[in-house]
Amino acid sequence: MIEAGSLIRSLSGRHAARNFHTFVINEIGRAIISGEFPVGSVLASDAVMMETYGVSRTVLREALKTLEAKGLVEARPKVGTRVSPKSRWNFFDSQVLAWHFHAPADPVFYSNLFAVRAALELPAVEGAARHRTAEDVRIMKYWLHQAATAGDSVEQFGLACLEIHAQIAEASQNTLLRGVVGVVELLLALALTRQPETLQAYCAQSIENLEAVIQAIEAGKVDIARERLAEGIELDHRRIIAGS
């Protein structure tokens, strides 16, 4: 697992401190998701990968175990490590989602992501409007201010928006709905890197929508909160699909 916000931080070139284990996981994971290592293909031998990535056998084996736990590969006796069918991939894993940012644009996959986001986040915002506390609202307003004052910082804007969505999920009091955060982060990262000529207008519209959502949550207006969040989801959808 990776920390929420890691993908958005990487947009400005700032990455979390890495170690050999995470380096190998990221290199192989991205290659699988991008299709460089196709489904059904067998990865190179341990000796070749150890030389390629400059790591020990222990580090490589641990990395492959992590990838296997995510459903991306499977080790077979006398065959080697094979890339698993997509049906076995854990698409709710934050790293697996983040690796899709580097993959070729796939409008069908993006539309599926939005369907999942709506299925999770619309019930979350309804729950937030019913169960929010004063502290929930305070946190949302704080991050809204951070987004509104981000200026040219894509990182600050993206992280602030992500925190708002995370707090909506938290305020819903349904722990299962927190799984939407990884999906939201990938879609935010995609939206922030599409159509740069209209980025400022997109950010302004996003802030307006989020402000309306927070006001509706604070007032306990369930239908309005759902409606305005749906508008924000559609804004992201149009932007990403048009820029793909």
Side-chain angles (χ1 to χ4, degrees):
M1 296 293 288
I2 58 174
E3 179 186 357
S6 295
L7 175 57
I8 290 176
R9 289 188 186 92
S10 73
L11 300 182
S12 63
R14 182 159 67 94
H15 298 267
R18 79 177 191 188
N19 54 44
F20 287 120
H21 180 253
T22 57
F23 168 70
V24 176
I25 291 172
N26 280 322
E27 289 295 301
I28 299 176
R30 287 172 183 162
I32 291 172
I33 299 300
S34 68
E36 181 182 343
F37 297 160
V39 168
S41 64
V42 177
L43 301 184
S45 67
D46 285 4
V48 171
M49 287 196 287
M50 286 162 57
E51 182 176 356
T52 299
Y53 302 118
V55 296
S56 67
R57 187 180 301 275
T58 299
V59 170
L60 177 63
R61 289 289 176 86
E62 287 301 316
L64 291 176
K65 285 181 182 179
T66 299
L67 291 167
E68 189 167 15
K70 297 176 186 293
L72 296 185
V73 300
E74 54 184 339
R76 294 184 177 181
K78 299 182 181 181
V79 174
T81 302
R82 187 185 299 273
V83 178
S84 301
K86 288 186 179 181
S87 59
R88 298 184 184 177
W89 296 3
N90 181 4
F91 285 97
F92 280 98
D93 182 280
S94 55
Q95 274 185 308
V96 174
L97 284 170
W99 290 329
H100 279 85
F101 178 79
H102 304 282
D106 184 347
V108 173
F109 178 69
Y110 296 159
S111 291
N112 290 339
L113 278 177
F114 277 106
V116 171
R117 177 180 174 184
L120 292 175
E121 196 165 31
L122 294 179
V125 80
E126 291 178 5
R130 291 189 176 98
H131 305 300
R132 81 285 180 213
T133 64
E135 181 64 7
D136 290 325
V137 174
R138 185 195 69 78
I139 293 172
M140 290 179 205
K141 288 183 176 180
Y142 168 80
W143 287 114
L144 181 67
H145 175 73
Q146 293 300 307
T149 58
D152 294 331
S153 175
V154 173
E155 179 181 337
Q156 180 179 326
F157 177 83
L159 289 174
C161 289
L162 182 63
E163 290 289 350
I164 293 171
H165 289 283
Q167 195 60 39
I168 289 172
E170 183 72 23
S172 73
Q173 296 187 15
N174 184 333
T175 55
L176 296 178
L177 297 179
R178 296 172 190 166
V180 75
V181 176
V183 176
V184 171
E185 181 170 8
L186 172 57
L187 293 174
L188 267 174
L190 290 168
L192 289 171
T193 51
R194 296 298 194 268
Q195 307 180 68
E197 69 280 2
T198 60
L199 179 59
Q200 187 174 2
Y202 163 73
C203 291
Q205 184 61 58
S206 295
I207 291 170
E208 181 181 324
N209 285 341
L210 286 171
E211 182 175 19
V213 169
I214 294 169
Q215 288 175 347
I217 289 173
E218 183 175 25
K221 296 180 179 179
V222 176
D223 292 340
I224 295 176
R226 181 186 176 94
E227 177 183 341
R228 293 310 301 264
L229 184 62
E231 290 176 7
I233 293 174
E234 181 57 27
L235 175 68
D236 289 352
H237 192 185
R238 290 196 306 269
R239 181 174 179 81
I240 291 171
I241 296 303
S244 298

mmCIF file with all atom_site columns, all heavy atoms in Angstrom, residues 96-117:
data_model
loop_
_atom_site.group_PDB
_atom_site.id
_atom_site.type_symbol
_atom_site.label_atom_id
_atom_site.label_alt_id
_atom_site.label_comp_id
_atom_site.label_asym_id
_atom_site.label_entity_id
_atom_site.label_seq_id
_atom_site.pdbx_PDB_ins_code
_atom_site.Cartn_x
_atom_site.Cartn_y
_atom_site.Cartn_z
_atom_site.occupancy
_atom_site.B_iso_or_equiv
_atom_site.pdbx_formal_charge
_atom_site.auth_seq_id
_atom_site.auth_comp_id
_atom_site.auth_asym_id
_atom_site.auth_atom_id
_atom_site.pdbx_PDB_model_num
ATOM 1   N N   . VAL A 1 96  ? -2.034  -0.287 -7.459  1.00 0.00 ? 96  VAL A N   1
ATOM 2   C CA  . VAL A 1 96  ? -2.507  -0.779 -8.755  1.00 0.00 ? 96  VAL A CA  1
ATOM 3   C C   . VAL A 1 96  ? -3.236  0.341  -9.490  1.00 0.00 ? 96  VAL A C   1
ATOM 4   O O   . VAL A 1 96  ? -3.050  0.549  -10.698 1.00 0.00 ? 96  VAL A O   1
ATOM 5   C CB  . VAL A 1 96  ? -3.418  -2.002 -8.578  1.00 0.00 ? 96  VAL A CB  1
ATOM 6   C CG1 . VAL A 1 96  ? -4.034  -2.413 -9.915  1.00 0.00 ? 96  VAL A CG1 1
ATOM 7   C CG2 . VAL A 1 96  ? -2.627  -3.175 -7.990  1.00 0.00 ? 96  VAL A CG2 1
ATOM 8   N N   . LEU A 1 97  ? -4.047  1.106  -8.771  1.00 0.00 ? 97  LEU A N   1
ATOM 9   C CA  . LEU A 1 97  ? -4.734  2.238  -9.394  1.00 0.00 ? 97  LEU A CA  1
ATOM 10  C C   . LEU A 1 97  ? -3.736  3.294  -9.849  1.00 0.00 ? 97  LEU A C   1
ATOM 11  O O   . LEU A 1 97  ? -3.830  3.805  -10.964 1.00 0.00 ? 97  LEU A O   1
ATOM 12  C CB  . LEU A 1 97  ? -5.726  2.853  -8.397  1.00 0.00 ? 97  LEU A CB  1
ATOM 13  C CG  . LEU A 1 97  ? -7.025  2.075  -8.178  1.00 0.00 ? 97  LEU A CG  1
ATOM 14  C CD1 . LEU A 1 97  ? -7.784  2.657  -6.989  1.00 0.00 ? 97  LEU A CD1 1
ATOM 15  C CD2 . LEU A 1 97  ? -7.898  2.114  -9.428  1.00 0.00 ? 97  LEU A CD2 1
ATOM 16  N N   . ALA A 1 98  ? -2.773  3.622  -8.999  1.00 0.00 ? 98  ALA A N   1
ATOM 17  C CA  . ALA A 1 98  ? -1.806  4.668  -9.333  1.00 0.00 ? 98  ALA A CA  1
ATOM 18  C C   . ALA A 1 98  ? -0.994  4.299  -10.568 1.00 0.00 ? 98  ALA A C   1
ATOM 19  O O   . ALA A 1 98  ? -0.674  5.160  -11.392 1.00 0.00 ? 98  ALA A O   1
ATOM 20  C CB  . ALA A 1 98  ? -0.873  4.926  -8.151  1.00 0.00 ? 98  ALA A CB  1
ATOM 21  N N   . TRP A 1 99  ? -0.680  3.010  -10.735 1.00 0.00 ? 99  TRP A N   1
ATOM 22  C CA  . TRP A 1 99  ? 0.098   2.596  -11.908 1.00 0.00 ? 99  TRP A CA  1
ATOM 23  C C   . TRP A 1 99  ? -0.669  2.823  -13.202 1.00 0.00 ? 99  TRP A C   1
ATOM 24  O O   . TRP A 1 99  ? -0.057  2.973  -14.264 1.00 0.00 ? 99  TRP A O   1
ATOM 25  C CB  . TRP A 1 99  ? 0.509   1.132  -11.768 1.00 0.00 ? 99  TRP A CB  1
ATOM 26  C CG  . TRP A 1 99  ? 1.546   0.911  -10.706 1.00 0.00 ? 99  TRP A CG  1
ATOM 27  C CD1 . TRP A 1 99  ? 2.528   1.778  -10.322 1.00 0.00 ? 99  TRP A CD1 1
ATOM 28  C CD2 . TRP A 1 99  ? 1.702   -0.239 -9.874  1.00 0.00 ? 99  TRP A CD2 1
ATOM 29  N NE1 . TRP A 1 99  ? 3.274   1.245  -9.301  1.00 0.00 ? 99  TRP A NE1 1
ATOM 30  C CE2 . TRP A 1 99  ? 2.800   0.007  -9.005  1.00 0.00 ? 99  TRP A CE2 1
ATOM 31  C CE3 . TRP A 1 99  ? 1.034   -1.454 -9.760  1.00 0.00 ? 99  TRP A CE3 1
ATOM 32  C CZ2 . TRP A 1 99  ? 3.234   -0.921 -8.063  1.00 0.00 ? 99  TRP A CZ2 1
ATOM 33  C CZ3 . TRP A 1 99  ? 1.453   -2.379 -8.824  1.00 0.00 ? 99  TRP A CZ3 1
ATOM 34  C CH2 . TRP A 1 99  ? 2.543   -2.116 -7.983  1.00 0.00 ? 99  TRP A CH2 1
ATOM 35  N N   . HIS A 1 100 ? -1.973  2.871  -13.141 1.00 0.00 ? 100 HIS A N   1
ATOM 36  C CA  . HIS A 1 100 ? -2.761  3.139  -14.342 1.00 0.00 ? 100 HIS A CA  1
ATOM 37  C C   . HIS A 1 100 ? -2.565  4.568  -14.848 1.00 0.00 ? 100 HIS A C   1
ATOM 38  O O   . HIS A 1 100 ? -2.864  4.855  -16.005 1.00 0.00 ? 100 HIS A O   1
ATOM 39  C CB  . HIS A 1 100 ? -4.252  2.887  -14.077 1.00 0.00 ? 100 HIS A CB  1
ATOM 40  C CG  . HIS A 1 100 ? -4.630  1.432  -14.165 1.00 0.00 ? 100 HIS A CG  1
ATOM 41  N ND1 . HIS A 1 100 ? -4.499  0.575  -13.105 1.00 0.00 ? 100 HIS A ND1 1
ATOM 42  C CD2 . HIS A 1 100 ? -5.106  0.690  -15.194 1.00 0.00 ? 100 HIS A CD2 1
ATOM 43  C CE1 . HIS A 1 100 ? -4.903  -0.637 -13.460 1.00 0.00 ? 100 HIS A CE1 1
ATOM 44  N NE2 . HIS A 1 100 ? -5.261  -0.592 -14.730 1.00 0.00 ? 100 HIS A NE2 1
ATOM 45  N N   . PHE A 1 101 ? -2.088  5.454  -13.997 1.00 0.00 ? 101 PHE A N   1
ATOM 46  C CA  . PHE A 1 101 ? -1.825  6.823  -14.437 1.00 0.00 ? 101 PHE A CA  1
ATOM 47  C C   . PHE A 1 101 ? -0.767  6.841  -15.536 1.00 0.00 ? 101 PHE A C   1
ATOM 48  O O   . PHE A 1 101 ? -0.787  7.697  -16.428 1.00 0.00 ? 101 PHE A O   1
ATOM 49  C CB  . PHE A 1 101 ? -1.361  7.676  -13.248 1.00 0.00 ? 101 PHE A CB  1
ATOM 50  C CG  . PHE A 1 101 ? -1.013  9.092  -13.611 1.00 0.00 ? 101 PHE A CG  1
ATOM 51  C CD1 . PHE A 1 101 ? -2.008  10.035 -13.800 1.00 0.00 ? 101 PHE A CD1 1
ATOM 52  C CD2 . PHE A 1 101 ? 0.313   9.476  -13.788 1.00 0.00 ? 101 PHE A CD2 1
ATOM 53  C CE1 . PHE A 1 101 ? -1.695  11.345 -14.147 1.00 0.00 ? 101 PHE A CE1 1
ATOM 54  C CE2 . PHE A 1 101 ? 0.636   10.780 -14.134 1.00 0.00 ? 101 PHE A CE2 1
ATOM 55  C CZ  . PHE A 1 101 ? -0.370  11.716 -14.316 1.00 0.00 ? 101 PHE A CZ  1
ATOM 56  N N   . HIS A 1 102 ? 0.169   5.911  -15.479 1.00 0.00 ? 102 HIS A N   1
ATOM 57  C CA  . HIS A 1 102 ? 1.277   5.863  -16.429 1.00 0.00 ? 102 HIS A CA  1
ATOM 58  C C   . HIS A 1 102 ? 0.967   4.978  -17.636 1.00 0.00 ? 102 HIS A C   1
ATOM 59  O O   . HIS A 1 102 ? 1.786   4.879  -18.549 1.00 0.00 ? 102 HIS A O   1
ATOM 60  C CB  . HIS A 1 102 ? 2.537   5.349  -15.727 1.00 0.00 ? 102 HIS A CB  1
ATOM 61  C CG  . HIS A 1 102 ? 2.926   6.153  -14.524 1.00 0.00 ? 102 HIS A CG  1
ATOM 62  N ND1 . HIS A 1 102 ? 3.571   7.355  -14.613 1.00 0.00 ? 102 HIS A ND1 1
ATOM 63  C CD2 . HIS A 1 102 ? 2.717   5.931  -13.191 1.00 0.00 ? 102 HIS A CD2 1
ATOM 64  C CE1 . HIS A 1 102 ? 3.772   7.844  -13.396 1.00 0.00 ? 102 HIS A CE1 1
ATOM 65  N NE2 . HIS A 1 102 ? 3.264   7.004  -12.518 1.00 0.00 ? 102 HIS A NE2 1
ATOM 66  N N   . ALA A 1 103 ? -0.184  4.327  -17.628 1.00 0.00 ? 103 ALA A N   1
ATOM 67  C CA  . ALA A 1 103 ? -0.545  3.432  -18.722 1.00 0.00 ? 103 ALA A CA  1
ATOM 68  C C   . ALA A 1 103 ? -1.154  4.220  -19.880 1.00 0.00 ? 103 ALA A C   1
ATOM 69  O O   . ALA A 1 103 ? -1.579  5.367  -19.706 1.00 0.00 ? 103 ALA A O   1
ATOM 70  C CB  . ALA A 1 103 ? -1.539  2.381  -18.228 1.00 0.00 ? 103 ALA A CB  1
ATOM 71  N N   . PRO A 1 104 ? -1.193  3.643  -21.079 1.00 0.00 ? 104 PRO A N   1
ATOM 72  C CA  . PRO A 1 104 ? -1.849  4.321  -22.209 1.00 0.00 ? 104 PRO A CA  1
ATOM 73  C C   . PRO A 1 104 ? -3.296  4.659  -21.873 1.00 0.00 ? 104 PRO A C   1
ATOM 74  O O   . PRO A 1 104 ? -3.964  3.924  -21.141 1.00 0.00 ? 104 PRO A O   1
ATOM 75  C CB  . PRO A 1 104 ? -1.774  3.273  -23.329 1.00 0.00 ? 104 PRO A CB  1
ATOM 76  C CG  . PRO A 1 104 ? -0.591  2.422  -22.967 1.00 0.00 ? 104 PRO A CG  1
ATOM 77  C CD  . PRO A 1 104 ? -0.585  2.357  -21.465 1.00 0.00 ? 104 PRO A CD  1
ATOM 78  N N   . ALA A 1 105 ? -3.767  5.789  -22.390 1.00 0.00 ? 105 ALA A N   1
ATOM 79  C CA  . ALA A 1 105 ? -5.144  6.230  -22.114 1.00 0.00 ? 105 ALA A CA  1
ATOM 80  C C   . ALA A 1 105 ? -6.137  5.153  -22.537 1.00 0.00 ? 105 ALA A C   1
ATOM 81  O O   . ALA A 1 105 ? -6.028  4.581  -23.622 1.00 0.00 ? 105 ALA A O   1
ATOM 82  C CB  . ALA A 1 105 ? -5.428  7.539  -22.852 1.00 0.00 ? 105 ALA A CB  1
ATOM 83  N N   . ASP A 1 106 ? -7.103  4.892  -21.680 1.00 0.00 ? 106 ASP A N   1
ATOM 84  C CA  . ASP A 1 106 ? -8.113  3.864  -21.942 1.00 0.00 ? 106 ASP A CA  1
ATOM 85  C C   . ASP A 1 106 ? -9.482  4.416  -21.537 1.00 0.00 ? 106 ASP A C   1
ATOM 86  O O   . ASP A 1 106 ? -9.895  4.286  -20.381 1.00 0.00 ? 106 ASP A O   1
ATOM 87  C CB  . ASP A 1 106 ? -7.787  2.600  -21.145 1.00 0.00 ? 106 ASP A CB  1
ATOM 88  C CG  . ASP A 1 106 ? -8.734  1.448  -21.447 1.00 0.00 ? 106 ASP A CG  1
ATOM 89  O OD1 . ASP A 1 106 ? -9.780  1.692  -22.067 1.00 0.00 ? 106 ASP A OD1 1
ATOM 90  O OD2 . ASP A 1 106 ? -8.424  0.312  -21.044 1.00 0.00 ? 106 ASP A OD2 1
ATOM 91  N N   . PRO A 1 107 ? -10.210 5.059  -22.470 1.00 0.00 ? 107 PRO A N   1
ATOM 92  C CA  . PRO A 1 107 ? -11.508 5.667  -22.137 1.00 0.00 ? 107 PRO A CA  1
ATOM 93  C C   . PRO A 1 107 ? -12.513 4.694  -21.523 1.00 0.00 ? 107 PRO A C   1
ATOM 94  O O   . PRO A 1 107 ? -13.307 5.090  -20.668 1.00 0.00 ? 107 PRO A O   1
ATOM 95  C CB  . PRO A 1 107 ? -11.995 6.193  -23.496 1.00 0.00 ? 107 PRO A CB  1
ATOM 96  C CG  . PRO A 1 107 ? -10.745 6.441  -24.278 1.00 0.00 ? 107 PRO A CG  1
ATOM 97  C CD  . PRO A 1 107 ? -9.817  5.335  -23.865 1.00 0.00 ? 107 PRO A CD  1
ATOM 98  N N   . VAL A 1 108 ? -12.481 3.433  -21.947 1.00 0.00 ? 108 VAL A N   1
ATOM 99  C CA  . VAL A 1 108 ? -13.420 2.453  -21.377 1.00 0.00 ? 108 VAL A CA  1
ATOM 100 C C   . VAL A 1 108 ? -13.096 2.219  -19.907 1.00 0.00 ? 108 VAL A C   1
ATOM 101 O O   . VAL A 1 108 ? -13.997 2.208  -19.048 1.00 0.00 ? 108 VAL A O   1
ATOM 102 C CB  . VAL A 1 108 ? -13.358 1.127  -22.158 1.00 0.00 ? 108 VAL A CB  1
ATOM 103 C CG1 . VAL A 1 108 ? -14.211 0.064  -21.459 1.00 0.00 ? 108 VAL A CG1 1
ATOM 104 C CG2 . VAL A 1 108 ? -13.843 1.328  -23.590 1.00 0.00 ? 108 VAL A CG2 1
ATOM 105 N N   . PHE A 1 109 ? -11.810 2.067  -19.600 1.00 0.00 ? 109 PHE A N   1
ATOM 106 C CA  . PHE A 1 109 ? -11.410 1.871  -18.204 1.00 0.00 ? 109 PHE A CA  1
ATOM 107 C C   . PHE A 1 109 ? -11.756 3.102  -17.377 1.00 0.00 ? 109 PHE A C   1
ATOM 108 O O   . PHE A 1 109 ? -12.246 2.989  -16.248 1.00 0.00 ? 109 PHE A O   1
ATOM 109 C CB  . PHE A 1 109 ? -9.910  1.586  -18.117 1.00 0.00 ? 109 PHE A CB  1
ATOM 110 C CG  . PHE A 1 109 ? -9.399  1.423  -16.717 1.00 0.00 ? 109 PHE A CG  1
ATOM 111 C CD1 . PHE A 1 109 ? -9.753  0.333  -15.949 1.00 0.00 ? 109 PHE A CD1 1
ATOM 112 C CD2 . PHE A 1 109 ? -8.558  2.377  -16.153 1.00 0.00 ? 109 PHE A CD2 1
ATOM 113 C CE1 . PHE A 1 109 ? -9.282  0.185  -14.646 1.00 0.00 ? 109 PHE A CE1 1
ATOM 114 C CE2 . PHE A 1 109 ? -8.081  2.236  -14.862 1.00 0.00 ? 109 PHE A CE2 1
ATOM 115 C CZ  . PHE A 1 109 ? -8.445  1.135  -14.109 1.00 0.00 ? 109 PHE A CZ  1
ATOM 116 N N   . TYR A 1 110 ? -11.535 4.287  -17.930 1.00 0.00 ? 110 TYR A N   1
ATOM 117 C CA  . TYR A 1 110 ? -11.858 5.515  -17.217 1.00 0.00 ? 110 TYR A CA  1
ATOM 118 C C   . TYR A 1 110 ? -13.356 5.590  -16.914 1.00 0.00 ? 110 TYR A C   1
ATOM 119 O O   . TYR A 1 110 ? -13.772 5.973  -15.814 1.00 0.00 ? 110 TYR A O   1
ATOM 120 C CB  . TYR A 1 110 ? -11.436 6.742  -18.020 1.00 0.00 ? 110 TYR A CB  1
ATOM 121 C CG  . TYR A 1 110 ? -9.946  6.869  -18.258 1.00 0.00 ? 110 TYR A CG  1
ATOM 122 C CD1 . TYR A 1 110 ? -9.445  7.649  -19.300 1.00 0.00 ? 110 TYR A CD1 1
ATOM 123 C CD2 . TYR A 1 110 ? -9.022  6.207  -17.444 1.00 0.00 ? 110 TYR A CD2 1
ATOM 124 C CE1 . TYR A 1 110 ? -8.078  7.765  -19.523 1.00 0.00 ? 110 TYR A CE1 1
ATOM 125 C CE2 . TYR A 1 110 ? -7.652  6.320  -17.666 1.00 0.00 ? 110 TYR A CE2 1
ATOM 126 C CZ  . TYR A 1 110 ? -7.192  7.103  -18.710 1.00 0.00 ? 110 TYR A CZ  1
ATOM 127 O OH  . TYR A 1 110 ? -5.835  7.215  -18.931 1.00 0.00 ? 110 TYR A OH  1
ATOM 128 N N   . SER A 1 111 ? -14.180 5.236  -17.894 1.00 0.00 ? 111 SER A N   1
ATOM 129 C CA  . SER A 1 111 ? -15.632 5.262  -17.673 1.00 0.00 ? 111 SER A CA  1
ATOM 130 C C   . SER A 1 111 ? -16.031 4.268  -16.590 1.00 0.00 ? 111 SER A C   1
ATOM 131 O O   . SER A 1 111 ? -16.911 4.547  -15.762 1.00 0.00 ? 111 SER A O   1
ATOM 132 C CB  . SER A 1 111 ? -16.370 4.942  -18.980 1.00 0.00 ? 111 SER A CB  1
ATOM 133 O OG  . SER A 1 111 ? -16.221 5.995  -19.914 1.00 0.00 ? 111 SER A OG  1
ATOM 134 N N   . ASN A 1 112 ? -15.371 3.113  -16.565 1.00 0.00 ? 112 ASN A N   1
ATOM 135 C CA  . ASN A 1 112 ? -15.647 2.138  -15.509 1.00 0.00 ? 112 ASN A CA  1
ATOM 136 C C   . ASN A 1 112 ? -15.259 2.690  -14.143 1.00 0.00 ? 112 ASN A C   1
ATOM 137 O O   . ASN A 1 112 ? -15.962 2.469  -13.138 1.00 0.00 ? 112 ASN A O   1
ATOM 138 C CB  . ASN A 1 112 ? -14.886 0.844  -15.781 1.00 0.00 ? 112 ASN A CB  1
ATOM 139 C CG  . ASN A 1 112 ? -15.435 0.083  -16.978 1.00 0.00 ? 112 ASN A CG  1
ATOM 140 O OD1 . ASN A 1 112 ? -16.578 0.289  -17.374 1.00 0.00 ? 112 ASN A OD1 1
ATOM 141 N ND2 . ASN A 1 112 ? -14.627 -0.786 -17.560 1.00 0.00 ? 112 ASN A ND2 1
ATOM 142 N N   . LEU A 1 113 ? -14.135 3.416  -14.097 1.00 0.00 ? 113 LEU A N   1
ATOM 143 C CA  . LEU A 1 113 ? -13.722 4.034  -12.838 1.00 0.00 ? 113 LEU A CA  1
ATOM 144 C C   . LEU A 1 113 ? -14.768 5.024  -12.342 1.00 0.00 ? 113 LEU A C   1
ATOM 145 O O   . LEU A 1 113 ? -15.080 5.069  -11.148 1.00 0.00 ? 113 LEU A O   1
ATOM 146 C CB  . LEU A 1 113 ? -12.386 4.763  -13.028 1.00 0.00 ? 113 LEU A CB  1
ATOM 147 C CG  . LEU A 1 113 ? -11.102 3.960  -12.968 1.00 0.00 ? 113 LEU A CG  1
ATOM 148 C CD1 . LEU A 1 113 ? -9.912  4.863  -13.250 1.00 0.00 ? 113 LEU A CD1 1
ATOM 149 C CD2 . LEU A 1 113 ? -10.924 3.281  -11.612 1.00 0.00 ? 113 LEU A CD2 1
ATOM 150 N N   . PHE A 1 114 ? -15.314 5.817  -13.253 1.00 0.00 ? 114 PHE A N   1
ATOM 151 C CA  . PHE A 1 114 ? -16.324 6.787  -12.857 1.00 0.00 ? 114 PHE A CA  1
ATOM 152 C C   . PHE A 1 114 ? -17.599 6.109  -12.367 1.00 0.00 ? 114 PHE A C   1
ATOM 153 O O   . PHE A 1 114 ? -18.268 6.606  -11.458 1.00 0.00 ? 114 PHE A O   1
ATOM 154 C CB  . PHE A 1 114 ? -16.626 7.748  -14.008 1.00 0.00 ? 114 PHE A CB  1
ATOM 155 C CG  . PHE A 1 114 ? -15.649 8.889  -14.103 1.00 0.00 ? 114 PHE A CG  1
ATOM 156 C CD1 . PHE A 1 114 ? -14.690 8.922  -15.102 1.00 0.00 ? 114 PHE A CD1 1
ATOM 157 C CD2 . PHE A 1 114 ? -15.673 9.920  -13.172 1.00 0.00 ? 114 PHE A CD2 1
ATOM 158 C CE1 . PHE A 1 114 ? -13.775 9.966  -15.181 1.00 0.00 ? 114 PHE A CE1 1
ATOM 159 C CE2 . PHE A 1 114 ? -14.764 10.965 -13.240 1.00 0.00 ? 114 PHE A CE2 1
ATOM 160 C CZ  . PHE A 1 114 ? -13.817 10.992 -14.249 1.00 0.00 ? 114 PHE A CZ  1
ATOM 161 N N   . ALA A 1 115 ? -17.941 4.986  -12.973 1.00 0.00 ? 115 ALA A N   1
ATOM 162 C CA  . ALA A 1 115 ? -19.118 4.241  -12.517 1.00 0.00 ? 115 ALA A CA  1
ATOM 163 C C   . ALA A 1 115 ? -18.916 3.754  -11.082 1.00 0.00 ? 115 ALA A C   1
ATOM 164 O O   . ALA A 1 115 ? -19.822 3.832  -10.240 1.00 0.00 ? 115 ALA A O   1
ATOM 165 C CB  . ALA A 1 115 ? -19.391 3.068  -13.449 1.00 0.00 ? 115 ALA A CB  1
ATOM 166 N N   . VAL A 1 116 ? -17.697 3.266  -10.794 1.00 0.00 ? 116 VAL A N   1
ATOM 167 C CA  . VAL A 1 116 ? -17.387 2.807  -9.441  1.00 0.00 ? 116 VAL A CA  1
ATOM 168 C C   . VAL A 1 116 ? -17.362 3.992  -8.480  1.00 0.00 ? 116 VAL A C   1
ATOM 169 O O   . VAL A 1 116 ? -17.890 3.902  -7.353  1.00 0.00 ? 116 VAL A O   1
ATOM 170 C CB  . VAL A 1 116 ? -16.026 2.078  -9.425  1.00 0.00 ? 116 VAL A CB  1
ATOM 171 C CG1 . VAL A 1 116 ? -15.580 1.798  -7.994  1.00 0.00 ? 116 VAL A CG1 1
ATOM 172 C CG2 . VAL A 1 116 ? -16.121 0.784  -10.214 1.00 0.00 ? 116 VAL A CG2 1
ATOM 173 N N   . ARG A 1 117 ? -16.786 5.101  -8.920  1.00 0.00 ? 117 ARG A N   1
ATOM 174 C CA  . ARG A 1 117 ? -16.731 6.289  -8.056  1.00 0.00 ? 117 ARG A CA  1
ATOM 175 C C   . ARG A 1 117 ? -18.146 6.738  -7.681  1.00 0.00 ? 117 ARG A C   1
ATOM 176 O O   . ARG A 1 117 ? -18.423 7.021  -6.502  1.00 0.00 ? 117 ARG A O   1
ATOM 177 C CB  . ARG A 1 117 ? -15.988 7.418  -8.760  1.00 0.00 ? 117 ARG A CB  1
ATOM 178 C CG  . ARG A 1 117 ? -15.950 8.705  -7.944  1.00 0.00 ? 117 ARG A CG  1
ATOM 179 C CD  . ARG A 1 117 ? -15.207 9.807  -8.662  1.00 0.00 ? 117 ARG A CD  1
ATOM 180 N NE  . ARG A 1 117 ? -15.303 11.060 -7.940  1.00 0.00 ? 117 ARG A NE  1
ATOM 181 C CZ  . ARG A 1 117 ? -14.810 12.220 -8.365  1.00 0.00 ? 117 ARG A CZ  1
ATOM 182 N NH1 . ARG A 1 117 ? -14.155 12.281 -9.523  1.00 0.00 ? 117 ARG A NH1 1
ATOM 183 N NH2 . ARG A 1 117 ? -14.944 13.314 -7.641  1.00 0.00 ? 117 ARG A NH2 1
#
